[in-house]
Coordinates of all heavy atoms in Angstrom, one line a residue:
V317 N -17.3 108.2 -39.2 CA -18.3 109.3 -39.3 C -18.5 109.9 -38.0 O -18.7 109.2 -37.0 CB -19.7 108.8 -39.8 CG1 -20.7 110.0 -39.8 CG2 -19.5 108.3 -41.3
L318 N -18.3 111.2 -37.9 CA -18.5 111.9 -36.6 C -19.4 113.1 -36.9 O -19.0 114.1 -37.5 CB -17.2 112.4 -36.0 CG -16.6 111.4 -35.1 CD1 -15.4 110.7 -35.7 CD2 -16.2 112.0 -33.7
S319 N -20.6 113.1 -36.4 CA -21.6 114.2 -36.6 C -22.4 114.4 -35.3 O -22.8 113.4 -34.7 CB -22.6 113.9 -37.7 OG -22.0 113.4 -38.9
H363 N -7.0 114.4 -39.5 CA -6.7 114.0 -38.1 C -7.9 114.4 -37.2 O -8.2 115.6 -37.1 CB -5.4 114.7 -37.6 CG -4.3 114.6 -38.6 ND1 -3.6 113.4 -38.8 CD2 -3.7 115.5 -39.4 CE1 -2.7 113.5 -39.7 NE2 -2.7 114.8 -40.1
C364 N -8.6 113.5 -36.7 CA -9.7 113.8 -35.8 C -9.2 113.9 -34.4 O -8.3 113.1 -33.9 CB -10.8 112.7 -35.9 SG -12.1 112.9 -34.7
V365 N -9.8 114.8 -33.6 CA -9.4 115.0 -32.2 C -9.7 113.8 -31.4 O -9.0 113.5 -30.4 CB -10.1 116.2 -31.6 CG1 -11.6 116.0 -31.5 CG2 -9.6 116.7 -30.3
T366 N -10.6 112.9 -31.8 CA -10.8 111.6 -31.1 C -9.7 110.6 -31.4 O -9.9 109.4 -31.1 CB -12.2 111.1 -31.4 OG1 -12.3 110.7 -32.8 CG2 -13.3 112.1 -31.1
T367 N -8.6 111.0 -32.0 CA -7.4 110.3 -32.2 C -7.2 109.4 -33.4 O -6.2 108.8 -33.6 CB -6.9 109.4 -31.0 OG1 -7.7 108.2 -30.9 CG2 -7.0 110.2 -29.7
W368 N -8.2 109.4 -34.3 CA -7.9 108.7 -35.6 C -7.3 109.7 -36.6 O -7.7 110.8 -36.7 CB -9.1 107.9 -36.1 CG -10.3 108.7 -36.4 CD1 -11.4 108.9 -35.5 CD2 -10.7 109.4 -37.6 NE1 -12.4 109.7 -36.1 CE2 -11.9 110.0 -37.4 CE3 -10.0 109.6 -38.8 CZ2 -12.6 110.8 -38.4 CZ3 -10.7 110.4 -39.8 CH2 -11.9 111.0 -39.6
Y404 N -24.4 123.9 -37.3 CA -23.0 123.7 -36.8 C -22.2 124.9 -37.3 O -22.4 125.5 -38.4 CB -22.5 122.5 -37.4 CG -21.1 122.0 -37.0 CD1 -20.9 121.3 -35.8 CD2 -19.9 122.4 -37.7 CE1 -19.6 120.9 -35.4 CE2 -18.7 122.0 -37.3 CZ -18.5 121.2 -36.2 OH -17.3 120.8 -35.8
Y445 N -7.3 119.9 -36.5 CA -8.2 118.7 -36.2 C -9.5 118.9 -37.1 O -9.9 120.0 -37.3 CB -8.5 118.7 -34.8 CG -7.4 118.1 -33.9 CD1 -7.0 118.8 -32.8 CD2 -6.8 116.9 -34.2 CE1 -6.0 118.3 -32.0 CE2 -5.8 116.4 -33.3 CZ -5.4 117.1 -32.3 OH -4.4 116.6 -31.5
F446 N -10.1 117.8 -37.4 CA -11.1 117.7 -38.4 C -12.4 118.4 -38.0 O -13.3 118.6 -38.9 CB -11.3 116.2 -38.8 CG -11.8 115.9 -40.2 CD1 -11.4 116.7 -41.2 CD2 -12.5 114.8 -40.4 CE1 -11.8 116.4 -42.5 CE2 -12.9 114.5 -41.7 CZ -12.6 115.3 -42.8
Y447 N -12.5 118.8 -36.7 CA -13.8 119.5 -36.4 C -13.8 120.9 -37.0 O -14.9 121.6 -37.0 CB -14.1 119.5 -34.9 CG -13.0 120.1 -34.0 CD1 -13.0 121.5 -33.6 CD2 -12.1 119.3 -33.4 CE1 -12.1 122.0 -32.7 CE2 -11.1 119.8 -32.5 CZ -11.1 121.2 -32.2 OH -10.2 121.7 -31.3
K448 N -12.7 121.4 -37.5 CA -12.6 122.7 -38.2 C -13.2 122.5 -39.7 O -13.4 123.5 -40.3 CB -11.2 123.2 -38.3 CG -10.6 123.5 -36.9 CD -11.4 124.7 -36.2 CE -10.7 125.0 -34.8 NZ -11.4 126.1 -34.2
W467 N -18.2 123.2 -31.3 CA -17.4 122.4 -30.4 C -16.4 123.2 -29.6 O -16.1 122.8 -28.5 CB -16.6 121.3 -31.2 CG -17.4 120.1 -31.6 CD1 -17.6 119.7 -32.9 CD2 -18.2 119.3 -30.8 NE1 -18.4 118.6 -32.9 CE2 -18.8 118.3 -31.7 CE3 -18.4 119.2 -29.4 CZ2 -19.6 117.3 -31.2 CZ3 -19.2 118.2 -28.9 CH2 -19.8 117.3 -29.8
Y472 N -13.7 121.8 -27.0 CA -12.6 121.5 -27.9 C -11.8 122.8 -28.1 O -12.2 123.9 -28.0 CB -13.2 121.1 -29.3 CG -13.7 119.7 -29.4 CD1 -13.9 118.9 -28.3 CD2 -13.9 119.1 -30.6 CE1 -14.4 117.6 -28.4 CE2 -14.4 117.8 -30.7 CZ -14.6 117.1 -29.6 OH -15.1 115.8 -29.7
Ligands
LIG714 MO1 -13.7 115.1 -34.7

Side-chain angles (χ1 to χ4, degrees):
V317 173
L318 271 106
S319 310
H363 312 289
C364 173
V365 68
T366 63
T367 75
W368 58 265
Y404 184 87
Y445 283 128
F446 210 29
Y447 58 91
K448 298 292 184 180
W467 283 122
Y472 283 15

